[in-house]
């Protein structure tokens, strides 16, 4: 369970990084837009450029952290196994259980009917 | 001089004739294209490199001079060769030499000029003598390039700004799109967590910039050709409008950021439909000739009602696709086996037409396997047709066999001992050392034989035999109220054999005698196991089973009579439950009993015969040794004396008389016999 939480936390962090990349793109876009103007305001330009650089730095640091974690945890090869065989087995067994329970239900039903008949007779 | 001489000799060599011919010959020389071809357009027009102007070529030549290389010989040669080389320029063998020499001359001239300028000395050329003394002369070193067009800085600035604006627009558009996707999915499950969820159930890997999945059972040991690949696609903000019917019906919190693309042949729904069809003579009268069908549909665990609510749409899609793949694999496997199989137990060989495999397992019974594949769910049809029942043993066995086969592909048993041949079972190895019969070998080999088609045929046959047995038992129960027959189907049976235990007892005389036997429905025959350990195999024909059961009824009646007579103190003289044929040709079996009263004054002969029509007929006869009339008359005179005299002869003589069976009081046959026996006993 702890592992699942850990994974979801890591995914959240990666999503944050993605979000920051979006922010960086926005800053870059604004910077270029400012530059394209006839009279670019230097202050705004600086602000956006700084924003871009800062976000980029953050992204780089966090990505490096994630990558170093992954290099520790993961193997370089992809996981090739599957749970298909065991899952199918489980499905088959599940169906067997359903079938048996159905039969038992039928037996219980017929027993109940018999009881009722004997009661009626007495 | 030297060059000219050589040329004339060459011409003489070409025309070795007299001097007259030498004069008459005209040699026409066309100039080659002077400029290099830059490009030939499609219409054949040639574009040339423009020749340098004089000043350009001067600069170009100046560039060529290597000022660091000193070679005085070149200079001398150039001066010597110059005038002659120029005149012979038109002659082609000398063209190269001429041009080189000319170039060398010009280069030399330029060199001299340059040197003169640098040393501030007068040049060799006369026309520039005036300038030679000028101290302000200078040499400008420039590349032989044409002047580029003058740049316009304002225009450049505007263009650059435009380009920047375009780039900014692209970036901002991208940002907006990402942001939109972000805000839309912020309340929902994120793409990566959904992918994590998908990864838990399905095999997914990254190929290039795509995420590809694998539905096939290859990892489970399957060898099916289909790759079963699917692609996982991230659903962006724009795609949400084009959602499938699944997605639109779902609440927004369940809209998955993932959509899956399955190859078109795996879309839809499939199931294997196995039916055992009865092609009987009463076919027209029956509304549906399908006696039993079952579908081989694989349901996922996730389909249970609790989980189905939270189930993402892609999961259902993948489950369906995998089911289609599985059904296809199963059917292909079955087809392959059906083609190869020469099943001896079959009535006729397999017939494969399209998506249907059929075979006659019995003369009027057909087994047919059909692969049903539709784009819409098949469940509606299933509920509509009441004839379809789930035949669990079929499904379970077939799936288990396939699974076993798959696992065998993956897990090859290691040879034991390690030096043994791979793939041989211990039994097979022992067979070579031990004197095994071919039958034993056959059974050993067959144990490993997991042919799906054979198993299915065997199951179908067993199923049909069981159906027939049940039908016959039902018929017997309906037709014969005397004796009471109870049939109890055992729940513990396997897919190829099932048992029914039957008890026969006459009402009220259960303690007297009861016949118990067990009937086992097998694939090719019905086995009857009796209490005394006798085993009888009966053919699977309905009439055979029926007749055998009727025989058992008559036997039961005879044996019950035997017990009853003994219990009542009668002397059973002879009892034969099954005595074979009778005088009457319509009788199959004849059971008989002869008993005498305790005082030997009356005899009873009872015959229970089974006819070809499948009925039990009773024939009861009574014989008195002493007629009642005689007895009454004689006893009135002198009874004691007569008794003393004639008692020992009483048992001799008399005739068999048929009993009017209808008039005898009793609930059933045994009861009536009891009444009769009671009446016949002389209590005097």
């Amino acid at each position: 369970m702890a592992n699942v939480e850990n994974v979801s936390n890591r995914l959240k962090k990666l999503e944050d990084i993605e979000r920051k990349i979006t922010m960086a793109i926005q800053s870059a876009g604004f910077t270029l837009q400012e530059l394209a103007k006839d009279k670019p305001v230097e202050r705004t330009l600086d602000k956006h450029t700084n924003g871009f650089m800062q976000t980029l730095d953050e992204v780089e640091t966090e990505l490096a952290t994630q990558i170093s974690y992954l290099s520790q945890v993961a193997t370089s090869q992809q996981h090739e196994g599957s749970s298909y065989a065991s899952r199918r087995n489980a499905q088959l067994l599940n169906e067997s259980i359903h079938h048996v329970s159905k039969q038992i239900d039928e037996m219980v039903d017929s027993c109940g009917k018999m009881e009722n008949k004997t009661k009626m007779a007495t | 001089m030297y060059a000219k001489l050589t040329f004339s000799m060459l011409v003489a060599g070409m025309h070795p004739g007299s001097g007259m011919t030498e004069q008459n010959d005209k040699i026409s020389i066309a100039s080659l294209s002077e400029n290099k071809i830059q490009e030939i357009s499609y219409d054949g027009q040639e574009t040339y490199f423009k020749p340098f102007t004089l000043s350009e070529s001067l600069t170009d030549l100046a560039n060529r001079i290597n000022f660091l290389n000193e070679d005085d010989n070149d200079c001398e040669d150039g001066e010597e060769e110059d005038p002659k080389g120029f005149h012979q320029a038109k002659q082609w063998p000398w063209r190269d030499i001429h041009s080189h020499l000319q170039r060398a001359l010009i280069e030399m001239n330029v060199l001299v000029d340059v040197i003169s300028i640098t040393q501030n000395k007068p040049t060799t050329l006369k026309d520039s003598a005036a300038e030679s003394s000028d101290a302000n002369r200078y040499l400008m070193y420039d590349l032989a390039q044409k002047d580029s067009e003058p740049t316009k800085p304002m225009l450049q600035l505007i263009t650059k700004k435009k380009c920047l604006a375009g780039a900014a627009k692209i970036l901002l558009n991208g940002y907006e799109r990402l942001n939109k996707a972000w805000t839309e999915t912020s309340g929902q499950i994120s793409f990566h967590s959904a992918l994590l969820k998908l990864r838990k159930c399905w095999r997914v890997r990254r190929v290039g910039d795509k995420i590809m999945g694998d539905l096939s059972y290859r990892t489970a040991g399957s060898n099916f050709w289909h790759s079963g690949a699917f692609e996982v696609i991230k659903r962006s903000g724009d795609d949400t409008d084009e959602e499938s019917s699944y997605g639109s019906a779902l609440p927004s919190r369940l809209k998955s950021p993932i959509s899956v693309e399955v190859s078109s042949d795996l879309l839809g729904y499939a199931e294997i439909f196995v039916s055992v069809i009865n092609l009987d003579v009463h076919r027209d009268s029956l509304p549906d000739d399908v006696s039993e069908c079952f579908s081989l549909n694989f349901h996922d665990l996730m389909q249970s009602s609790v989980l189905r609510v939270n189930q993402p749409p892609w999961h259902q899609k993948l489950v369906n696709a995998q089911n289609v793949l599985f059904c296809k694999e199963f059917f292909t496997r079955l087809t392959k086996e059906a083609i190869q199989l020469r099943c001896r137990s079959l009535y006729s060989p397999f017939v494969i037409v399209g998506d249907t495999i059929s075979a006659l397992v019995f003369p009027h019974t057909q087994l047919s396997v059909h692969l049903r594949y539709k784009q819409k769910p098949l469940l509606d049809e299933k509920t509509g047709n009441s004839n379809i029942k789930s035949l669990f043993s079929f499904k379970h066995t077939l799936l288990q066999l396939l699974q076993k086969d798959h696992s065998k592909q993956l897990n090859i048993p290691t040879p034991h001992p390690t030096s043994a041949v791979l793939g041989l079972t211990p039994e097979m190895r022992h067979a070579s050392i031990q004197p095994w019969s071919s039958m034993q070998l056959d059974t050993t080999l067959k144990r490993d034989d997991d042919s799906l088609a054979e198993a299915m045929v065997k199951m179908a046959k067993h199923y049909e035999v069981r159906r027939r047995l049940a039908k016959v038992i039902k018929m017997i129960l309906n037709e014969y109220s005397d004796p009471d027959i109870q049939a109890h189907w055992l729940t513990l049976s396997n897919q190829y054999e099932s048992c029914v235990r039957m008890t026969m007892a006459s009402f009220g005389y259960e303690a007297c005698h009861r016949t118990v036997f067990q009937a086992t429905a097998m694939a090719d025959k019905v086995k009857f196991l009796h209490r005394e350990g006798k085993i009888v195999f009966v053919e699977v024909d309905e009439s055979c089973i029926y007749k055998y059961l009727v025989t058992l009824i008559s036997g039961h009646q005879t044996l019950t009579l035997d017990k009853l007579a003994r219990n009542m103190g009668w002397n059973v003289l002879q009892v034969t439950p099954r005595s074979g044929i009778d005088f009457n040709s319509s009788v199959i079996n004849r059971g008989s009993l002869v008993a005498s009263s305790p005082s030997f004054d009356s005899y009873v002969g009872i015959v229970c015969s089974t006819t070809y029509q499948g009925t039990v007929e009773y024939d009861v006869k009574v014989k008195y040794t002493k007629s009642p009339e005689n007895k009454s008359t004689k006893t009135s005179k002198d009874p004691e004396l007569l008794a003393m005299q004639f008692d020992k002869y009483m048992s001799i003589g008399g005739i068999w008389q048929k009993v009017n069976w209808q008039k005898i009081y009793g609930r059933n046959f045994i009861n009536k016999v009891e009444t009769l026996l009671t009446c016949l006993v002389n209590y005097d």
Side-chain angles (χ1 to χ4, degrees):
Chain A
M1 201 63 200
N3 192 29
V4 173
E5 276 176 16
N6 189 20
V7 170
S8 56
N9 279 340
R10 297 240 162 231
L11 276 181
K12 214 166 213 174
K13 275 184 186 169
L14 284 172
E15 274 163 21
D16 284 347
I17 293 172
E18 202 182 351
R19 180 89 181 130
K20 275 179 185 166
I21 290 170
T22 320
M23 298 299 288
I25 290 172
Q26 189 200 20
S27 302
F30 280 142
T31 314
L32 291 188
Q33 207 178 30
E34 197 61 39
L35 276 174
K37 280 177 187 167
D38 291 338
K39 286 173 186 171
V41 184
E42 207 164 307
R43 211 174 134 193
T44 328
L45 210 63
D46 277 351
K47 191 183 131 196
H48 286 314
T49 320
N50 284 337
F52 175 73
M53 294 306 287
Q54 202 183 337
T55 331
L56 208 62
D57 276 347
E58 280 172 20
V59 167
E60 202 182 340
T61 326
E62 284 179 28
L63 262 183
T65 322
Q66 297 298 328
I67 287 169
S68 68
Y69 166 76
L70 281 177
S71 63
Q72 281 169 14
V73 172
T75 57
S76 57
Q77 286 183 336
Q78 294 194 4
H79 177 61
E80 289 289 325
S82 78
S83 59
Y84 294 167
S86 41
R87 204 167 76 203
R88 203 173 55 178
N89 204 1
Q91 284 167 4
L92 204 60
L93 291 176
N94 198 34
E95 285 196 14
S96 307
I97 290 166
H98 273 298
H99 183 70
V100 170
S101 72
K102 212 170 100 185
Q103 276 190 332
I104 290 171
D105 281 349
E106 277 171 14
M107 277 162 71
V108 168
D109 270 3
S110 54
C111 284
K113 274 178 194 170
M114 284 296 288
E115 264 182 34
N116 284 339
K117 269 186 187 175
T118 46
K119 271 181 192 172
M120 292 283 278
T122 50
Chain B
M1 192 65 194
Y2 169 75
K4 197 182 178 183
L5 270 172
T6 323
F7 174 70
S8 59
M9 274 170 74
L10 270 170
V11 171
M14 282 164 75
H15 304 282
S18 62
M20 286 296 282
T21 25
E22 207 176 306
Q23 284 171 2
N24 292 340
D25 278 340
K26 282 181 182 173
I27 302 167
S28 62
I29 300 165
S31 69
L32 291 168
S33 59
E34 287 177 353
N35 302 322
K36 276 187 182 175
I37 295 167
Q38 188 184 13
E39 187 189 356
I40 302 173
S41 61
Y42 289 118
D43 57 351
Q45 209 171 359
E46 294 172 345
T47 320
Y48 299 100
F49 283 111
K50 279 182 182 170
F52 285 141
T53 55
L54 201 63
S55 65
E56 279 169 6
S57 60
L58 179 73
T59 330
D60 185 40
L61 288 166
N63 281 339
R64 283 161 189 264
I65 297 165
N66 190 355
F67 291 103
L68 298 173
N69 224 357
E70 288 177 11
D71 199 349
D72 294 330
N73 298 331
D74 278 356
C75 188
E76 285 166 16
D77 290 344
E79 280 171 354
E80 280 177 20
E81 302 290 331
D82 175 36
K84 293 145 197 173
F86 181 76
H87 291 300
Q88 288 166 9
K90 302 281 181 200
Q91 306 299 328
W92 92 264
W94 294 99
R95 190 185 174 93
D96 275 356
I97 292 167
H98 159 254
S99 59
H100 276 117
L101 289 177
Q102 197 179 22
R103 197 165 285 172
L105 173 69
I106 296 166
E107 277 177 17
M108 284 307 299
N109 284 337
V110 172
L111 186 65
V112 168
D113 283 349
V114 168
I115 290 166
S116 71
I117 287 165
T118 48
Q119 289 179 350
N120 208 7
K121 280 181 181 175
T123 51
T124 48
L125 296 168
K126 284 174 184 174
D127 51 348
S128 59
E131 297 170 22
S132 63
S133 56
D134 189 3
N136 294 328
R137 282 184 310 170
Y138 64 94
L139 182 76
M140 206 172 80
Y141 187 77
D142 199 9
L143 283 174
Q145 269 182 349
K146 289 187 176 176
D147 288 341
S148 58
E149 284 183 17
T151 52
K152 294 170 185 171
M154 266 314 284
L155 193 71
Q156 240 178 0
L157 188 71
I158 289 165
T159 325
K160 272 184 185 170
K161 290 229 168 191
K162 241 180 196 175
C163 290
L164 279 175
K169 202 180 167 188
I170 290 168
L171 281 173
L172 287 175
N173 269 345
Y175 161 73
E176 264 171 35
R177 204 168 150 175
L178 283 172
N179 204 30
K180 196 180 163 191
W182 177 270
T183 46
E184 271 180 8
T185 56
S186 58
Q188 304 167 17
I189 319 147
S190 70
F191 171 74
H192 292 102
S193 54
L195 192 66
L196 189 73
K197 209 173 165 187
L198 186 133
R199 180 74 187 78
K200 273 182 192 165
C201 293
W202 304 98
R203 211 170 152 237
V204 183
R205 64 206 182 94
R206 205 175 141 190
V207 180
D209 56 344
K210 288 176 179 174
I211 303 171
M212 300 298 287
D214 185 12
L215 283 173
S216 72
Y217 281 104
R218 206 152 291 162
T219 44
S222 158
N223 281 330
F224 193 48
W225 59 270
H226 202 291
S227 66
F230 67 91
E231 192 186 341
V232 181
I233 298 165
K234 184 177 180 179
R235 200 183 272 169
S236 64
D238 297 346
D239 301 335
T240 43
D241 304 332
E242 304 159 9
E243 272 177 5
S244 61
S245 57
Y246 267 133
S248 55
L250 284 168
S252 63
R253 68 185 175 86
L254 283 178
K255 275 181 187 169
S256 175
I258 278 180
S259 68
V260 285
E261 276 292 319
V262 188
S263 67
S264 59
D265 54 342
L266 293 183
L267 287 170
Y269 302 83
E271 63 179 18
I272 303 276
F273 193 76
V274 180
S275 52
V276 183
I277 304 165
N278 213 354
L279 310 165
D280 216 348
V281 277
H282 307 297
R283 191 177 171 173
D284 297 335
S285 61
L286 290 168
D288 196 344
D289 58 355
V290 178
S291 63
E292 194 80 78
C293 310
F294 88 96
S295 66
L296 189 81
N297 198 7
F298 228 40
H299 297 295
D300 198 68
L301 279 176
M302 292 284 272
Q303 278 201 333
S304 61
S305 56
V306 183
L307 290 166
R308 203 185 296 165
V309 182
N310 295 322
Q311 192 180 314
W314 46 261
H315 186 81
Q316 188 54 45
K317 199 175 172 184
L318 290 178
V319 166
N320 282 336
Q322 200 173 34
N323 193 34
V324 172
L325 184 71
F326 184 69
C327 285
K328 277 190 174 176
E329 182 187 349
F330 183 83
F331 193 78
T332 316
R333 169 89 192 266
L334 212 59
T335 318
K336 204 173 145 193
E337 275 180 13
I339 292 166
Q340 288 173 351
L341 189 70
R342 297 271 178 274
C343 190
R344 265 174 289 161
S345 56
L346 267 184
Y347 191 73
S348 71
F350 284 103
V351 180
I352 302 159
V353 181
D355 283 348
T356 312
I357 306 173
S358 56
L360 274 184
V361 286
F362 285 123
H364 291 295
T365 312
Q366 192 187 40
L367 167 75
S368 109
V369 185
H370 180 50
L371 172 70
R372 296 211 301 192
Y373 179 67
K374 285 189 179 168
Q375 294 296 326
K376 286 178 184 174
L378 298 161
L379 291 166
D380 300 335
E381 256 181 59
K382 205 174 173 181
T383 46
N385 197 344
S386 58
N387 270 327
I388 298 169
K389 292 172 193 167
S390 172
L391 213 64
F392 185 72
S393 63
F394 262 74
K395 185 175 175 178
H396 191 260
T397 311
L398 292 176
L399 292 181
Q400 219 171 24
L401 277 176
L402 196 63
Q403 199 171 342
K404 202 174 156 191
D405 193 56
H406 280 177
S407 61
K408 209 192 274 178
Q409 295 278 338
L410 287 184
N411 312 315
I412 301 163
T414 47
H416 183 80
T418 42
S419 58
V421 183
L422 198 75
L424 279 185
T425 57
E427 289 92 349
M428 285 156 93
R429 275 205 320 282
H430 290 155
S432 58
I433 322 162
Q434 293 164 352
W436 273 28
S437 67
S438 63
M439 200 183 282
Q440 276 173 309
L441 273 174
D442 270 353
T443 48
T444 315
L445 291 173
K446 265 186 187 171
R447 205 183 298 163
D448 292 339
D449 197 13
D450 295 322
S451 166
L452 285 181
E454 263 185 273
M456 202 164 67
V457 167
K458 208 173 167 188
M459 277 192 290
K461 288 183 119 179
H462 163 249
Y463 175 73
E464 177 62 12
V465 171
R466 196 180 62 174
R467 192 188 66 81
R468 285 181 188 183
L469 183 64
K471 192 180 162 190
V472 169
I473 289 172
K474 212 172 176 182
M475 270 163 67
I476 292 274
L477 289 176
N478 285 338
E479 284 176 24
Y480 290 92
S481 54
D482 174 33
D484 288 341
I485 303 166
Q486 286 178 350
H488 176 67
W489 287 92
L490 300 184
T491 42
L492 286 174
S493 59
N494 69 10
Q495 60 268 43
Y496 305 125
E497 280 181 18
S498 52
C499 285
V500 56
R501 207 188 69 155
M502 293 180 75
T503 313
M504 288 181 191
S506 300
F507 181 73
Y509 301 89
E510 289 91 353
C512 197
H513 178 72
R514 56 170 76 198
T515 308
V516 182
F517 60 91
Q518 183 180 303
T520 311
M522 295 161 98
D524 294 318
K525 55 206 164 207
V526 184
K527 185 174 93 175
F528 284 93
L529 171 68
H530 293 272
R531 193 190 251 171
E532 62 266 26
K534 189 171 71 180
I535 295 171
V536 179
F537 289 102
V538 179
E539 283 299 308
V540 291
D541 197 32
E542 275 176 33
S543 62
C544 284
I545 304 169
Y546 186 82
K547 278 172 192 166
Y548 185 73
L549 284 176
V550 173
T551 317
L552 287 178
I553 289 172
S554 76
H556 165 79
Q557 298 287 50
T558 322
L559 287 170
T560 317
L561 287 177
D562 174 37
K563 287 276 172 65
L564 181 75
R566 284 178 203 275
N567 288 348
M568 288 176 76
W570 280 60
N571 306 306
V572 178
L573 304 175
Q574 183 261 343
V575 60
T576 320
R578 283 171 283 276
S579 68
I581 53 163
D582 190 57
F583 299 113
N584 191 350
S585 60
S586 68
V587 170
I588 322 165
N589 180 47
R590 185 172 168 277
S592 63
L593 174 123
V594 181
S596 69
S597 66
S599 54
F600 293 101
D601 54 354
S602 53
Y603 288 80
V604 174
I606 302 167
V607 174
C608 302
S609 48
T610 318
T611 61
Y612 272 109
Q613 284 78 40
T615 52
V616 180
E617 285 175 1
Y618 303 109
D619 187 19
V620 185
K621 282 177 179 166
V622 179
K623 186 174 83 169
Y624 299 101
T625 50
K626 186 171 64 177
S627 74
E629 297 85 32
N630 285 344
K631 196 180 173 185
S632 60
T633 50
K634 280 171 186 171
T635 43
S636 61
K637 286 179 183 175
D638 191 359
E640 281 181 15
L641 184 72
L642 273 170
M644 278 177 69
Q645 279 183 342
F646 297 107
D647 262 4
K648 61 177 176 182
Y649 302 113
M650 282 292 185
S651 59
I652 301 162
I655 46 160
W656 287 101
Q657 288 171 337
K658 196 167 183 176
V659 177
N660 189 355
W661 200 243
Q662 302 298 323
K663 295 217 170 166
I664 295 212
Y665 170 76
R667 265 179 101 165
N668 53 27
F669 175 70
I670 303 294
N671 205 345
K672 283 182 178 183
V673 173
E674 194 199 355
T675 315
L676 179 75
L677 294 184
T678 320
C679 293
L680 288 174
V681 174
N682 191 358
Y683 293 105
D684 296 334

